[in-house]
Amino acid sequence: MMLKKWSDVLTIVSGKNQKAVVSPNGPYPIYGSGGIMGRADDFLCEAGTTIVGRKGTINCPIFVNEPFWNVDTAFGISPGDELHPKYLYYFCCSFNFKELDKSTTIPSLAKRDLLQIQMPVPHLNEQERIVSKIEELFSRLDASVAELQTAKEKLKVYRQAVLKEAFDSVQANSKRVTIKSVCETIKVGIVIKPTQYYVEQGGVFAFRNANVRRNYIEDKDWAMISQEGHQKNLKSQVHIGDVLIARSGVNLGMAATVPQKYDGYNAIDVVIAVPKKEFILSQYLAQYTNSPYGLEIVRKNQHGAAQGHLNVKEYGNLPIFLPNIPEQYSLLKKIESRLSVCDNIEQTIDTSLQQAEALRQSILKQAFEGEM
């Protein structure tokens, strides 16, 4: 299969400031690297163009089947006569644009580097066949993923019902206190330019919000900071029994305790609560934070227009029902007996979803290596 440079088979349309064309009722969408940002009364790119992020989100191509305006964080990759639009899009999905990122801070791509990319360019009929096969396989995969997501949502509803029932049972006979009153400290991990400390090896692993799941630690995609950066930020070092709460992102409000395996790790932009052991069990605080009571209050107190952001002070002011330690043990035992199977199923589903994404990439790899 013949390889051709992008410079020979396509056009890259650089994004522009949208101020001159923005219109609430404009006929054309405005796209950034993360998706639609508004409407415009003019367009830069024709239908069938693929968006590739220039800055920030660089590895999530978007196919747009209508004319649109792209802002300066997004390139419009427009196919020439030799390329099927969807063939180009799927190639972009298979390509690792991070390999072209030369930035040490915010990921970014240069147009000149993109134009040097080489891709296989078979006859248009063959491209159309490959696109059809990809979409057939993706359709089956999407159906399986949808079933997994439905099962996961059902588990989520069941989990919340179990936790609500458990904490309802202690509400009447327990005193109501604030979380800060039963913690030694509530703090937040590194927030000022954490990337300045990033290293690829020889450093200290650091939690990010993505590592904090509902009552368990996601043991992958760790950040690593230098030994020097770790020493400068010892206040955000975590220890056994600390409770970590995701401060932003899709895991906002999820809480998990720190097991022995992660003792001594650092943390980036994650809330760290250190319980007073004589008053509250770490697992009790984590499960309460994960319960409908905790999640609802977290949602009400989140800040930020673009994405929710949990304020450390306000988390500390959240009310919590506090039975004595033996009653906390008893309650946790009841919760664990009902949720242990649920936890195992959820982690199995998460693993299956990750495998589905890996399979998606495998399909694309085969398609562009001539094996489909």
Side-chain angles (χ1 to χ4, degrees):
M1 194 179 299
M2 183 179 295
L3 293 177
K4 293 189 178 182
K5 285 186 179 181
W6 272 17
S7 58
D8 298 326
V9 293
L10 56 77
T11 302
I12 298 180
V13 181
S14 298
K16 296 182 180 179
N17 191 301
Q18 75 272 32
K19 289 182 180 179
V21 298
V22 67
S23 172
N25 300 312
Y28 308 109
I30 298 173
Y31 274 88
S33 59
I36 294 179
M37 302 172 59
R39 308 294 299 183
D41 59 14
D42 198 358
F43 67 91
L44 293 172
C45 297
E46 300 283 352
T49 297
T50 294
I51 291 173
V52 170
R54 183 188 71 84
K55 196 171 186 179
T57 307
I58 64 173
N59 235 23
C60 299
I62 303 170
F63 183 76
V64 185
N65 202 22
E66 62 179 320
F68 66 94
W69 184 281
N70 53 311
V71 299
D72 60 2
T73 60
F75 289 120
I77 313 299
S78 180
D81 294 338
E82 294 184 64
L83 291 177
H84 187 291
K86 276 295 191 74
Y87 181 84
L88 173 59
Y89 165 67
Y90 286 125
F91 176 82
C92 290
C93 292
S94 73
F95 189 81
N96 183 11
F97 290 98
K98 290 181 180 178
E99 293 179 349
L100 303 180
D101 173 26
K102 298 182 176 68
S103 172
T104 57
T105 54
I106 300 174
S108 60
L109 299 174
K111 184 175 179 178
R112 63 179 178 276
D113 293 330
L114 293 178
L115 289 171
Q116 297 305 308
I117 293 173
Q118 292 189 329
M119 68 180 293
V121 183
H123 191 275
L124 280 170
N125 289 340
E126 177 64 6
Q127 292 180 40
E128 187 170 351
R129 186 195 68 80
I130 291 171
V131 168
S132 295
K133 188 62 177 180
I134 289 173
E135 294 186 339
E136 175 191 342
L137 295 173
F138 277 11
S139 179
R140 297 179 192 172
L141 190 59
D142 290 342
S144 298
V145 168
E147 290 179 3
L148 289 170
Q149 294 287 11
T150 298
K152 191 171 182 177
E153 284 302 310
K154 290 180 179 178
L155 287 174
K156 181 179 178 181
V157 171
Y158 173 73
R159 180 190 299 279
Q160 290 300 291
V162 169
L163 291 175
K164 185 178 186 304
E165 180 182 331
F167 288 105
D168 279 347
S169 70
V170 299
Q171 184 174 355
N173 300 317
S174 302
K175 59 182 178 179
R176 181 179 164 123
V177 299
T178 60
I179 288 178
K180 67 181 179 182
S181 71
V182 292
C183 288
E184 299 286 351
T185 184
I186 300 174
K187 52 192 177 181
V188 66
I190 305 168
V191 293
I192 300 176
K193 295 183 179 179
T195 53
Q196 67 182 303
Y197 304 118
Y198 282 7
V199 294
E200 294 186 1
Q201 58 185 0
V204 176
F205 286 118
F207 281 92
R208 291 181 288 192
N209 289 290
N211 299 112
V212 183
R213 304 301 293 270
R214 192 176 290 106
N215 208 39
Y216 73 94
I217 302 302
E218 185 73 78
D219 193 4
K220 66 174 187 176
D221 297 331
W222 293 97
M224 179 179 285
I225 63 173
S226 66
Q227 294 288 346
E228 180 183 3
H230 178 65
Q231 290 300 316
K232 288 181 178 179
N233 295 277
L234 285 177
K235 65 178 183 178
S236 57
Q237 185 179 30
V238 303
H239 301 285
I240 299 172
D242 289 352
V243 176
L244 305 182
I245 306 96
R247 192 169 178 235
S248 62
V250 296
N251 294 353
L252 174 69
M254 293 184 183
T257 58
V258 177
Q260 183 174 2
K261 179 179 179 179
Y262 308 107
D263 185 47
Y265 280 33
N266 214 296
I268 296 169
D269 198 34
V270 173
V271 175
I272 307 164
V274 183
K276 294 178 180 178
K277 296 179 181 178
E278 65 271 27
F279 293 124
I280 190 168
L281 299 172
S282 297
Q283 192 66 9
Y284 184 88
L285 176 56
Q287 290 286 28
Y288 182 82
T289 304
N290 287 326
S291 77
Y293 292 106
L295 290 178
E296 179 62 24
I297 298 172
V298 164
R299 280 192 288 267
K300 287 181 179 178
N301 289 281
Q302 68 186 35
H303 297 280
Q307 63 173 356
H309 203 80
L310 178 61
N311 181 284
V312 176
K313 181 178 179 181
E314 288 172 346
Y315 177 75
N317 287 329
L318 301 185
I320 184 171
F321 311 124
L322 193 70
N324 60 39
I325 293 293
E327 289 175 331
Q328 290 179 41
Y329 272 118
S330 177
L331 185 73
L332 289 173
K333 188 174 181 179
K334 291 178 182 177
I335 291 173
E336 183 179 357
S337 68
R338 296 185 63 183
L339 291 186
S340 58
V341 174
C342 180
D343 290 340
N344 290 334
I345 294 173
E346 186 170 24
Q347 291 193 43
T348 299
I349 289 174
D350 285 341
T351 299
S352 296
L353 289 171
Q354 292 166 13
Q355 290 172 341
E357 183 55 33
L359 179 56
R360 195 181 302 274
Q361 289 302 311
S362 177
I363 290 170
L364 292 173
K365 184 174 184 292
Q366 291 179 42
F368 294 102
E369 289 183 352
E371 298 177 9
M372 181 172 288

